[in-house]
């Protein structure tokens, strides 16, 4: 008789954003005329940039000719894309990363969920709290986090590192030493970031204690401050302790195209075992590669035209972010983020719970956001709004909140 992976049965409820979507769908069904402004799920709204569309069309045409047709992609991804990434994302910032340390994938979510397969079940995991749910859920599926306590909303074997207003959203080093540390900078959901010196401190901590850092840099394109690193490899010693995950979804609007990559340096080893070689083995066995046409689109992101167009889109989203944050602050809300990130993290008013504020905004203002408690126990009493809507809808949302 077959058996199932019992770890899946430990997961409480459904995935956060699935729950949000179900609640919004139910409200819309009961109120079909409601004009809902969606600032919840971090999906982009602007169309793919023209230079990237041109590259897609050209690649599609190539697939229709025997001479230029492409089948399976190389295990690591096409060299033209890996080299463009190496040159523009790493060499240009003084980072020593080789093309064969870059693994092309179908997105950062997939990689951040799959990376835990490289580590044994007895590894101790630490996450910032609040946290992107995929880091936690995937380690539950991997059998690492023990049991869930519904009262405290904590996993028994997970180290929580609170990132709240009181510590300026920069977590302290944990009392118990972890083996795996997840850092998302700029952070989802809080929209806050760390300085290079602060990230260097985590690199030094990891190297002192034999930890590995899983560094999610999905939002690096939104960084505006000079002292915030775009890559963990800007820090000394990071090649020996860090894996970096990146995405084209928010940088270039690829949420529907699906493209990302993970960097695993050859210097990252444990007991003589190369994590780079392990990830290559997993990649070759379980993944057939992002489509050729999408990888050509990714290459176009780094072209002069593509880079300028993508930067303009990022700037427009950040215009929304500044408007939302400043508007909320003017209305008396405690709002954070929105400087190096498209997310605004606000304190719920009058001591309301995160889900109560979600219902309040949806019913009284027809605005959808994301309850902070869905990101972990330290997210209770907070709420996330995204800047991925239009500027007009961002301003309309502020007006509705003002009139509550």
């Amino acid at each position: 008789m077959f058996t199932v992976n019992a770890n899946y049965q430990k997961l409480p409820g459904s995935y956060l954003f699935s729950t949000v979507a179900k609640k919004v769908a139910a409200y819309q069904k009961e109120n079909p005329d409601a004009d809902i402004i969606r600032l919840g799920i971090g999906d982009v709204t602007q169309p793919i940039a023209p230079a990237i569309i041109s590259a897609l069309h050209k690649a599609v045409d190539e697939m229709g000719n025997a001479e230029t047709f492409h089948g399976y992609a190389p295990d690591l991804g096409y060299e033209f894309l890996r080299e463009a990434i190496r040159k523009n994302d790493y060499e240009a910032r003084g980072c020593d990363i080789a093309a064969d340390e870059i693994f092309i994938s179908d997105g950062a979510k997939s990689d951040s969920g799959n990376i835990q397969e490289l580590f044994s079940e007895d590894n101790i995991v630490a996450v910032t709290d609040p946290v992107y749910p995929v880091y936690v859920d995937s380690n539950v599926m991997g059998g690492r986090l023990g049991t869930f306590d519904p009262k405290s909303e904590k996993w028994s074997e997970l180290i929580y590192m609170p990132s709240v207003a009181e510590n300026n959203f920069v977590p302290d080093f944990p009392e118990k030493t972890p083996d795996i540390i997840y850092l998302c900078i700029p952070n989802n959901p809080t929209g806050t970031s760390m300085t290079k010196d602060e990230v260097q401190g985590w690199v030094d901590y990891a190297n002192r204690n034999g930890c590995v850092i899983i560094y999610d840099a999905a939002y690096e394109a939104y960084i505006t401050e000079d002292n915030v690193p775009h890559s963990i490899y800007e820090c000394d010693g990071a090649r020996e302790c860090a894996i970096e995950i990146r995405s084209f979804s928010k940088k270039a609007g690829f949420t529907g195209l699906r493209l990302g990559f993970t960097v695993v340096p050859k210097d990252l080893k444990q007991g003589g075992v190369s994590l780079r070689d392990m990830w290559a083995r997993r990649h070759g066995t379980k993944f057939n590669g992002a489509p050729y046409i999408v990888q050509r689109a990714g290459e176009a992101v780094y072209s002069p035209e593509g880079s300028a167009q993508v930067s303009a889109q990022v700037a427009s989203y950040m215009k929304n972010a500044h408007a939302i944050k400043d508007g909320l602050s003017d209305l008396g809300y405690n709002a954070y983020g929105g400087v190096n990130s498209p997310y605004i993290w606000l304190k719920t008013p009058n001591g309301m719970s995160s889900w109560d504020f979600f219902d309040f905004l949806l019913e009284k203002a027809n605005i959808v956001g994301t309850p902070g408690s869905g990101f972990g126990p330290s997210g209770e009493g907070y709420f996330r709004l995204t800047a991925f809507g239009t500027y007009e809808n961002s301003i309309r949302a502020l007006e509705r909140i003002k009139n509550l």
Side-chain angles (χ1 to χ4, degrees), residues 200 203 207 232-243 265 268:
Q200 182 68 62
V203 170
N207 280 322
I232 195 170
Y233 301 116
E234 295 177 41
C235 297
D236 295 337
R239 284 184 55 87
E240 289 77 39
C241 70
I243 294 170
L268 181 53

Side-chain angles (χ1 to χ4, degrees), residues 225-291:
E225 296 180 315
D226 292 338
N227 65 342
V228 176
H230 287 253
S231 168
I232 195 170
Y233 301 116
E234 295 177 41
C235 297
D236 295 337
R239 284 184 55 87
E240 289 77 39
C241 70
I243 294 170
E244 182 166 289
I245 299 172
R246 290 212 195 178
S247 170
F248 286 79
S249 289
K250 307 309 192 297
K251 176 176 182 174
F254 279 34
T255 54
L257 287 180
R258 308 307 308 149
L259 189 66
F261 63 90
T262 290
V263 177
V264 189
K266 299 182 184 105
D267 296 345
L268 181 53
K269 298 180 180 180
Q270 178 55 258
V273 177
S274 165
L275 269 69
R276 183 264 173 206
D277 292 348
M278 289 179 67
W279 188 243
R281 185 67 173 85
R282 185 211 175 273
H283 217 58
T285 300
K286 292 191 173 185
F287 185 60
N288 267 339

Side-chain angles (χ1 to χ4, degrees), residues 36-269:
I36 296 176
I37 298 176
R38 300 172 188 268
L39 301 178
I41 295 175
D43 196 1
V44 296
T45 55
Q46 295 187 48
I48 299 295
I52 301 170
I53 291 294
S54 295
L56 280 167
H57 280 298
K58 181 181 178 182
V60 167
D61 289 340
E62 289 178 8
M63 296 296 282
N65 293 288
E67 295 79 8
T68 53
F69 171 80
H70 289 79
Y72 290 125
D75 281 358
L76 274 64
Y78 286 100
E79 185 175 356
F80 60 75
L81 178 55
R82 290 186 290 110
E83 183 58 29
I85 292 168
R86 184 201 66 77
K87 180 179 179 181
N88 293 278
D89 285 335
Y90 294 102
E91 183 181 90
R93 296 193 180 279
C95 303
D96 179 22
I97 296 297
D100 64 355
E101 295 173 321
I102 299 168
F103 296 79
I104 306 301
S105 72
D106 60 357
K109 181 178 182 180
S110 300
D111 285 356
S112 61
N114 292 329
I115 198 71
Q116 53 84 25
E117 292 184 22
L118 300 188
F119 306 100
S120 64
E121 289 186 14
D122 59 356
N123 277 270
I124 299 170
V125 178
V127 297
T128 57
D129 176 31
V131 66
Y132 181 47
V134 171
Y135 310 153
V136 175
D137 289 0
S138 60
N139 276 287
V140 173
M141 295 170 181
R144 291 183 191 86
L145 304 190
T147 57
F148 184 73
D149 177 13
K151 186 175 182 179
S152 66
E153 297 188 338
K154 289 186 176 182
W155 292 93
S156 61
E157 303 303 318
L158 178 62
I159 297 175
Y160 292 85
M161 303 184 295
S163 301
V164 291
E166 288 72 19
N167 60 8
N168 200 31
F169 299 98
V170 177
D172 298 322
F173 298 133
E175 293 183 7
K176 182 179 180 180
T177 303
D179 301 303
I180 304 170
I181 302 167
Y182 284 83
L183 296 177
C184 178
I185 303 171
N187 186 262
N188 177 19
T190 67
T192 56
S193 58
M194 294 188 197
T195 66
K196 181 177 179 180
D197 286 345
E198 288 167 339
V199 177
Q200 182 68 62
W202 279 99
V203 170
D204 294 342
Y205 174 89
N207 280 322
R208 283 197 307 272
N209 292 284
C211 314
V212 63
I213 296 174
I214 311 299
Y215 192 85
D216 187 344
Y219 301 94
E220 63 81 26
Y222 292 82
I223 293 172
T224 62
E225 296 180 315
D226 292 338
N227 65 342
V228 176
H230 287 253
S231 168
I232 195 170
Y233 301 116
E234 295 177 41
C235 297
D236 295 337
R239 284 184 55 87
E240 289 77 39
C241 70
I243 294 170
E244 182 166 289
I245 299 172
R246 290 212 195 178
S247 170
F248 286 79
S249 289
K250 307 309 192 297
K251 176 176 182 174
F254 279 34
T255 54
L257 287 180
R258 308 307 308 149
L259 189 66
F261 63 90
T262 290
V263 177
V264 189
K266 299 182 184 105
D267 296 345
L268 181 53
K269 298 180 180 180

